[in-house]
Amino acid sequence: MLLTALLGCSAEFRITGDSEVLEWQVGAYYQHRKINSEFTWFSDWVGTVERDRSSFTIPRAEYDMAVSAFDFDADFGTEYAYSVVDENTSDSWAVFGQADYDVNDELSIAFALRYDEDKRESFDERQKDVSKASETFSETQPKLQITYNWSEDMMTYFSASKGFRSGGFNEYDPTIIRTFDKEVSENVELGFKSVLWGGAMTLSGAVFHIDIENTQFTRLNLDTFTLENLGIDESTSQGVELEAVIQPMEGLRFNLGYGYADSKIDKFTATEDYGDIDGNKVPGVHKYNINAGVEYTTAVSDMMDAVVRVDLIRKGPLAWELDNVITSDTSDFMNIRAGIQTENYGVTLFVENATDERVATEDFYGAAGVARMPNMPRFYGVEASYKF
């Protein structure tokens, strides 16, 4: 049983300016989030009667007696070991700026700079004194992009940038490391965008290389029965992306996409549970992805269009754990949509996962072997929208 309460607010402002050869902007961002989570592994403890939330409340005296998930008084049962309560707050802010300079009609250079700071705090209200943790994560992130327009229908670009993902806290247990660090990436990309067949086709592609420090990977710690984020010290990812959109006639459009990624663990020191895993694949990254879609739109009246769309998606194999023992093979999905649209409203019938493909959305080591979280089976419905 999972119960979550989320409270948040955010604000952003920008100032922009331009001239004949220069466009610029500066801005700032602020966000506050507070998340209260309560998770219990079991919801049926008394015969076939499902227990309500209040029955999972454990007296504070029993929590105070607990030193860890497996050192508590005899009446404590397994409810402490199989429950997680966390109050997590985040106050983050950023300042950023960007300038785009046209050197001439063909060449332009863009430079951006952003600074992020995220102050986080987490505690289990049942053991606040020992579980409370706070940390501030920050990073400066520059980006440079050089673009060259060979013609009105062809451009190439080169970009180099730094990325940032804030750190956080593992679910409390005195036997694990409470804080996990930020993730920082250095990205290099070379790509192109083109228009072909008199505008009937657009084709774009890119090759990329990413060096990542402290890739965040979450596992289920079977000793504490808590989720634990283990940082992969160093990893690399490189690959290629291609995308095409073809419109051979009015109302008919095809889209094709392909992505390939070779992701590898270069260094890992967080735990010796998996042995030597240098050179293994980074978990959760599909080796390739292929998508193809077709959409047809036709007028049924002066005020209304009918739209039909079919998407085919193939996801390549991937590994789920750091040792690469648990893997998933290739999977195929089909989504179908058909509806009517006007300027103000639309009604659409949809079928997701039309072929009822059954795959895992998560695979991990459980108490009794490998545990899997299944994907959604075939489902269908109706969507309605109205623009005021």
Side-chain angles (χ1 to χ4, degrees), residues 15 39 64 101 116 168 244 257 353 386:
I15 302 174
F39 175 75
D64 293 340
Y101 177 68
D116 279 272
N353 191 12
Y386 184 80

Side-chain angles (χ1 to χ4, degrees), residues 267-325:
K267 182 180 179 182
F268 179 77
T269 60
T271 177
E272 298 180 354
D273 294 354
Y274 299 96
D276 182 8
I277 61 172
D278 291 356
N280 281 13
K281 300 295 183 183
V282 175
V285 180
H286 291 277
K287 187 174 182 179
Y288 63 85
N289 289 279
I290 303 173
N291 65 80
V294 57
E295 181 178 298
Y296 182 67
T297 303
T298 185
V300 295
S301 72
D302 293 339
M303 304 290 292
M304 182 181 295
D305 291 335
V307 183
V308 178
R309 181 175 181 86
V310 178
D311 287 291
L312 302 175
I313 304 166
R314 166 164 285 193
K315 296 183 178 182
L318 81 162
W320 289 102
E321 284 280 353
L322 292 166
D323 56 12
N324 289 183
V325 172

Side-chain angles (χ1 to χ4, degrees), residues 201-227:
M201 177 180 179
T202 60
L203 178 65
S204 60
V207 293
F208 62 88
H209 179 91
I210 308 173
D211 291 314
I212 311 171
E213 292 183 2
N214 197 54
T215 302
Q216 295 175 3
F217 168 74
T218 301
R219 70 166 182 176
L220 173 63
N221 188 315
L222 294 177
D223 292 330
T224 61
F225 254 80
T226 58
L227 295 177

Side-chain angles (χ1 to χ4, degrees), residues 224-268:
T224 61
F225 254 80
T226 58
L227 295 177
E228 181 182 21
N229 192 301
L230 301 176
I232 301 172
D233 302 70
E234 298 175 6
S235 66
T236 56
S237 179
Q238 53 193 1
V240 60
E241 296 175 339
L242 292 170
E243 183 178 6
V245 178
I246 306 168
Q247 190 164 353
M249 57 180 286
E250 184 178 355
L252 180 63
R253 185 175 66 178
F254 298 91
N255 65 274
L256 302 168
Y258 174 78
Y260 173 84
D262 179 23
S263 58
K264 183 176 66 173
I265 298 172
D266 298 317
K267 182 180 179 182
F268 179 77

Side-chain angles (χ1 to χ4, degrees), residues 85-220:
V85 175
D86 180 66
E87 181 170 313
N88 196 305
T89 59
S90 168
D91 283 292
S92 59
W93 61 273
V95 290
F96 54 87
Q98 179 170 328
D100 298 75
Y101 177 68
D102 295 328
V103 179
N104 51 44
D105 291 341
E106 293 81 26
L107 179 65
S108 63
I109 300 175
F111 179 75
L113 189 65
R114 180 184 177 102
Y115 175 79
D116 279 272
E117 187 170 298
D118 184 12
K119 182 178 180 180
R120 295 197 170 192
E121 182 178 278
S122 171
F123 60 86
D124 183 333
E125 64 180 9
R126 306 165 302 184
Q127 291 182 294
K128 187 173 182 178
D129 292 342
V130 294
S131 67
K132 186 175 182 179
S134 61
E135 190 72 41
T136 299
F137 306 95
S138 62
E139 189 65 37
T140 301
Q141 305 143 77
K143 179 180 180 179
L144 172 68
Q145 179 165 311
I146 302 173
T147 303
Y148 192 84
N149 293 286
W150 300 89
S151 68
E152 291 184 356
D153 298 330
M154 179 68 178
M155 62 86 77
T156 54
Y157 67 90
F158 167 82
S159 69
S161 62
K162 176 178 282 191
F164 163 72
R165 183 181 182 185
S166 186
F169 308 104
N170 291 313
E171 296 166 353
Y172 172 70
D173 186 275
T175 63
I176 66 174
I177 298 175
R178 185 77 163 103
T179 304
F180 60 87
D181 205 357
K182 62 186 179 182
E183 178 181 314
V184 179
S185 61
E186 295 181 349
N187 316 278
V188 177
E189 185 173 317
L190 179 64
F192 72 93
K193 296 180 181 179
S194 61
V195 179
L196 307 171
W197 298 348
M201 177 180 179
T202 60
L203 178 65
S204 60
V207 293
F208 62 88
H209 179 91
I210 308 173
D211 291 314
I212 311 171
E213 292 183 2
N214 197 54
T215 302
Q216 295 175 3
F217 168 74
T218 301
R219 70 166 182 176
L220 173 63

